[in-house]
Amino acid sequence: MRSNNAGCRFGVCQRKTDFMETVKLTINGQEVTAPKGELLIEACEMNGVYLPRFCHYRGLTPQASCRMCVVRVDNPKIPKLQTACTMPVTDGMAVTTDSQEIEDVRAAMIEFLLSNHPVDCPVCDRAGECELQDQTYGFGEDRTRSQYDDKDNYLERQISPFIYNDPQRCVTCKRCTRVCEEWMDENAITVLNRGASTVISAFSGWVECSDCGNCVDVCPTGTLLHVPYKYVARPWDLKQTPTVCNFCSDGCSVLAGTRGENLIRNVARDGRGRTAGGINHDFLCSLGRYTVDFVHSKDRLDRPMIRRGEHLIPTTWDDALQHVAQRLGELKAQHGGDSVGVISAARLLNEDQFTLRKFADDVLQTKHAEYYHDDDEIDLASFFRYGAPTIATQAHLQNADTILLIGSDPNEENPLTAFSIRWAVRQKAARLITVNAMPSRLERQANISLRVREGSEGAFVQALLDDAKLNDAAAALGVKAEDLQAVRKAVAESGRVVVVFGDELRGAAVEALALLESALAAPSAEAADAAKKAYIDALQRQVKSSNSTQKPSINENPYTYIVEHPTLEVGAEPVRTETKFSFLPLVRYSNTMGAGLVGMHSDDKGGMSAHAMINAAGGGIKALFIAGEDVVSKANGEASRVSTQLAKLDFLVVQDMFLTETAKLADVVFPVTSYAEAQGTQVNNGMQIQFVRRAIPPVGQARPDWMVVNQLAKLMGVDFGYQGQLKTIFKQIADAVPGCAGLSHNLLVNEGATQISLPQPEQSKINRADVLERLAGQVAKINRNVAVDAAALTAKAGTRLKQRYPQITQHSEMLTPELPQGVEAAAPAPLVFPA
Amino acid sequence: MTNVLTNRFHLKGAACDIQVYEQHGGYKALPKALKEFKPEQITEEVKKSVLRGRGGAGFPTGMKWSFVPKESKRPKYLVCNADESEPGTGKDRDLMRFDPHQLIEGMIIAGYALSSNTSYIYIRGEYWYIKEILEKAVAQAYAKGYLGKNILGSGFDHDLYVHPGAGAYICGEETALLESLEGKRGHPRLKPPFPAVVGLYGGPTVVNNVETLAVVPHIILNGGEWYKALGTEKSGGTKLFTVSGHVNRPGNYEVPMGYPLMSLINNECGGMLGGRKLKACIPGGSSVPILNAEDCEKMTLDYESAASVGTMLGSGGVIVMDETTDIFETTRNVTHFYKHESCGWCTPCREGTRWLYKVFERMHRYEGRPGDVELLYDLADKILGKSFCALGDAAAMPVQSAIKKFREDFERRIKHNIVQIQKAAD
């Protein structure tokens, strides 16, 4: 544990300040330093003086409405008490925060707030992590003069499938409405009515939004509550495990709240302001937050199953493993190792992928082993062909000067990326350029927004690379040439550029991204030098500060992982890169990057891709070992063809959480763990490797994927040398995988997300002419006569998530909620109280 | 009696027509201002006149104008605060319905002084009929070339829009007014930055009361020194007072600054109704501390004298109460108003006014408990000076002053506690 600062109740604030100007001020007679322009409330907290607050939330617009943080500025020109949350520190300022006068005001504000509060803590889900409780204990009086008949009573009600609202508990700090507006750009919830009747609600009484639930996380009281968490557990009963979300490729950290063997909730920030310290700070999306219930779904496989004729019959692990080992051994002996294929899901952890690869190599001796990916996913092999262009993390994105969004809709598919983009635009005045066929809410933030012809995104890369082909590219994209010229100019003149691209970029266009650096480098030599120097300075400071800060260790207290930076900071030092361009490929799954990195692909060995293996079933492929992937459900419109193919196999092994359509065809099904039960590492789209911590023991008889494979290998006579330890697997990964050298689980636990650095592409090795020619060929194929059907594209937007996570969406009741009776028929009328 | 602002009131609204207004000395100041004055000179002239804001706070108008930066990337705006909602005040209503062109002329000159090309009249929603009068007047001014492009060949452009509010008292607060004008919820804004630097749509903005702007043509025509000489040394000119309550002739009266309060009641208003004794008087709208008869004798109608007796001139709504009045009931009424109109932004005002009213309510039912008067006073004390904007102060000051000066009216509600009386009867 980091040392807890005496005055700080919700976290420790020792931010790095050595890169910014500081001012000296006096707090309660003690001279201290603080970053220039910092708000007084933060400056006080940094120096060990905690000021109570409700409405202040770092990073949100100052509000100054709760009046808890009042201080006396010792300056005769300022006769009134001032709110510290709106006052920037200035040099020589002297403030008093602990006088009788100020204590009286704080106690009075608490008394005011409690005068209309139901004080129903025993039945409130927030009790125990409620800021109103904490502030009352810390700063309030032990009695109140308000009487029961002084209170106005409002009914509790549900305002969305995910949110409960109890207006009477509200302190009207409006963190929720600000989060909705500033983080999510949704404005879904707002305040209704006036004065003492003010309530948080939606315009129609029923909240229509993306259900991110951040408003509930930041709520200091029990006004907003998560529906799935309602009356389920008390916060003090929960064990909070920091782990990493398993859904999109952004890789957000979550605090998994567990009680006993049950996963109860996922939050980004608990009521006491603790976060898991991940790249997402205190932000989390709907999928990461509300899909916890699939873990304990009644449909989870709880024991292995083995086929007896038509039926899959539950059996013991020993039987199932023996059977698989024997059959695979026979097939290998009969048809050779290459007759067996191994397919893994891209969401499986590095340790699982690595073990599967090893299993294919050392045990089955097949060259066909690959993580499942569709042809229309980002072609990472092309992207990394000449080396690794600088990969952008969320921090890069938040500090970019220009963000170029090509394809994809991060709002839906990568909510953290969308949040970072919005944050960069709002707080750092970054320039956003969107190039997209489908409508996206991010266009609202864009400086330049190009709505292009579907499938023509490659032409945009061509236009960036080659000024001469700009007019042609504009025709292919279906946009005006001057708009494209404006974009090119903006990108060329800009500082750090982050290119965020989705799977709309295909083939040579992805490969050509590596050429951007040389084509549109810094505008002048001086600027390039200055950027380089700033980068080196920043690196040195980073080294210095990482030497000076004491790192926490997992062994000390892993479950109360309080972090220094619970929220994003505007004043934080910008992350710099060596190159002008950095890239954020929005790959589909949580560990797509990692699966490729640890070698779960057959490119270099000449093996078949996952699709090719399925197509070759019954021919070259006699048996398939499918880990965690429902290949039948994922084959859009081809489900019956894929099942027919799988039926041709001599032997099919599936390991999964649920009896999926694929598992139903299997000869043996192994139950495996979900992300909450698994431990290991995964790599997000920013090439950051993160430690996934086990939050609960495996459900039923489920075992981790790597363990199943390891046991099979042992039965088939090969010992991977794991000694039953995850750490050993990771050691082998660190030794084998480029860029992972020197990493270990312990290090990842301490450091958090660690970016893997791979060698930059060697510009000299790139066959420029060839790439450009292929790109030109690709662009030439675009049908320029196709009219853009805006309505069809709009309908298409927002349908992709369910295709990606069929298992989860099917087995989480929260994603297909049964609304309370009559809710859909008639939404409740907005609450308007008589005056 | 000096009639400056009200010298066309005897026309009974005929001056709404631009020709009548011109016949009676209207639109003389505008050509003079455009031809003979530079924008800075107008501000100087207004500074000389010691004109202080007539909306309530009494901030020197010339100084307010001089805070506006000369160079600004964003357009500058002038906003006329016609959201007259202070209980007991109705002077702006008459200024607008009897003489709308006087205000419009003043606004064009003020716009010229600020080099602003756009101005708005934010008018109280309930004054819908006055909005129609104003809109007609604005249309006439456009037709005559007093508004629009290149006014009177001077090269100065000015547009004027009339915008109605929707009935919230808080929208009379200048920053909440700007929020409302921008189409948002009427909440006060954080200051600083002050509207003079960052105001409407982020541009430098001056917000002035109707009366303040209506004075401007007279200052231009007759000079700042002339206007100052009408009043006292520190409070220049004349001011409109709306007298209501127990007097024989309630109404709007224009008197010079420094005029004794009792003379206003006894001469202009024809004395107390039914010859009864004066008990109390609120001199500047419901927000200011109440005066007892003794203080009323001492007070003259200017900012300094008001401060010396512990009240404020406010918006000039003089509420006169005779000996039959129960000050507890009047204060309860005022508190109900503030409870109803609190915008809900900050804790002390939102919860404080609600709680105050709850206590008032039970005392009104003769169910007051011992200590309730002290509770009222203390609650008001906890609101005063701690709230986000001045509405909290406005709610707290009348309560505190009423308790200080008329405590017996409050105590009676507790002494005659109905529950205890019933118990005794049983």
Side-chain angles (χ1 to χ4, degrees), chain A residues 63-67 86 108 112-113 115-116 145-147 149-150 152 171-172 174 191 193-196 835, chain B residues 168 185 187 190 340-348 350-352 354-355 358 362 369 378 382 386-388:
Chain A
Q63 164 116 347
S65 69
C66 72
R67 318 306 283 181
T86 55
F112 277 141
L113 290 173
S115 76
N116 198 28
R145 289 169 295 178
S146 77
Q147 317 234 348
D149 58 6
D150 287 347
D152 294 325
V171 296
T172 327
K174 293 191 202 144
V191 279
N193 305 341
R194 194 169 70 186
Chain B
R185 206 179 147 83
H187 276 317
L190 195 65
H340 182 67
E341 293 294 350
S342 169
C343 76
W345 182 266
C346 68
T347 306
R350 180 184 69 239
E351 302 295 344
R354 191 194 62 81
W355 194 356
K358 287 270 176 183
R362 68 169 180 248
R369 299 158 190 156
D378 190 54
K382 294 284 157 58
K386 281 99 186 167
S387 58
F388 187 84

Side-chain angles (χ1 to χ4, degrees), chain B residues 326-347:
Chain B
D326 183 352
I327 301 299
F328 169 82
E329 282 301 317
T330 61
T331 318
R332 182 180 75 92
N333 189 17
V334 166
T335 305
H336 177 261
F337 174 78
Y338 288 110
K339 176 233 164 199
H340 182 67
E341 293 294 350
S342 169
C343 76
W345 182 266
C346 68
T347 306

Side-chain angles (χ1 to χ4, degrees), chain A residues 440-768:
Chain A
S440 161
R441 212 151 37 78
L442 280 172
E443 284 171 0
R444 291 221 289 252
Q445 268 82 19
N447 284 45
I448 308 174
S449 157
L450 298 181
R451 191 72 72 74
V452 301
R453 183 172 283 131
E454 203 182 4
S456 69
E457 285 85 353
F460 177 74
V461 180
Q462 190 192 28
L464 282 186
L465 285 174
D466 196 346
D467 206 12
K469 291 198 175 140
L470 199 127
N471 287 329
D472 180 52
L477 289 163
V479 297
K480 285 185 196 150
E482 55 260 38
D483 290 349
L484 207 51
Q485 187 68 47
V487 172
R488 191 174 195 277
K489 190 160 170 278
V491 173
E493 287 170 1
S494 172
R496 292 163 303 221
V497 181
V498 174
V499 181
V500 184
F501 63 100
D503 43 24
E504 282 85 348
L505 273 194
R506 306 261 162 80
V510 180
E511 220 173 309
L513 288 174
L515 299 172
L516 280 178
E517 189 67 34
S518 54
L520 292 166
S524 66
E526 294 104 60
D529 285 351
K532 185 113 187 159
K533 188 174 176 298
Y535 170 68
I536 292 166
D537 287 355
L539 267 189
Q540 282 171 347
R541 270 199 298 274
Q542 209 178 335
V543 170
K544 213 171 87 190
S545 69
S546 71
N547 289 341
S548 62
T549 34
Q550 198 193 343
K551 302 286 178 196
S553 154
I554 188 173
N555 297 327
E556 285 183 56
N557 192 348
Y559 301 125
T560 50
Y561 194 80
I562 300 175
V563 280
E564 281 183 6
H565 308 279
T567 51
L568 266 172
E569 288 159 37
V570 185
E573 176 160 30
V575 181
R576 294 171 201 280
T577 50
E578 204 176 353
T579 55
K580 171 177 163 172
F581 283 91
S582 50
F583 300 90
L584 184 61
L586 297 179
V587 292
R588 283 199 191 166
Y589 298 101
S590 57
N591 201 22
T592 304
M593 288 292 220
L597 200 70
V598 301
M600 192 60 197
H601 59 77
S602 24
D603 283 358
D604 46 350
K605 298 202 168 67
M608 285 189 253
S609 75
H611 281 282
M613 281 183 237
I614 294 168
N615 290 340
I621 297 286
K622 301 289 178 203
L624 273 180
F625 190 98
I626 302 180
E629 194 60 275
D630 185 3
V631 295
V632 176
S633 302
K634 281 223 174 133
N636 287 334
E638 291 197 316
S640 61
R641 190 186 65 80
V642 172
S643 12
T644 322
Q645 282 302 114
L646 292 182
K648 289 182 194 162
L649 290 168
D650 290 355
F651 193 57
L652 174 62
V653 186
V654 172
Q655 49 185 42
D656 210 323
M657 293 178 279
F658 297 98
L659 195 62
T660 60
E661 292 303 312
T662 314
K664 282 177 189 163
L665 303 169
D667 293 288
V668 177
V669 183
F670 293 126
V672 287
T673 51
S674 71
Y675 76 108
E677 305 140 58
Q679 187 143 314
T681 55
Q682 70 184 34
V683 185
N684 72 357
N685 51 20
M687 266 298 182
Q688 287 167 304
I689 184 161
Q690 308 195 76
F691 187 68
V692 182
R693 215 179 260 111
R694 196 181 82 159
I696 49 169
V699 173
Q701 293 181 14
R703 291 179 184 179
D705 290 76
W706 66 269
M707 195 184 277
V708 180
V709 181
N710 188 28
Q711 282 166 333
L712 270 180
K714 267 193 188 153
L715 287 175
M716 293 172 82
V718 179
D719 187 358
F720 293 153
Y722 288 170
Q723 301 159 335
Q725 281 202 7
L726 263 175
K727 280 184 185 176
T728 331
I729 313 181
F730 194 78
K731 191 163 183 317
Q732 293 188 8
I733 294 176
D735 291 344
V737 175
C740 291
L743 295 181
S744 69
H745 276 181
N746 273 354
L747 189 125
L748 292 179
V749 166
N750 289 341
E751 293 286 331
T754 308
Q755 198 177 20
I756 299 170
S757 55
L758 295 168
Q760 285 281 325
E762 284 180 44
Q763 295 288 342
S764 58
K765 272 194 189 167
I766 306 178
N767 189 344
R768 229 184 125 78

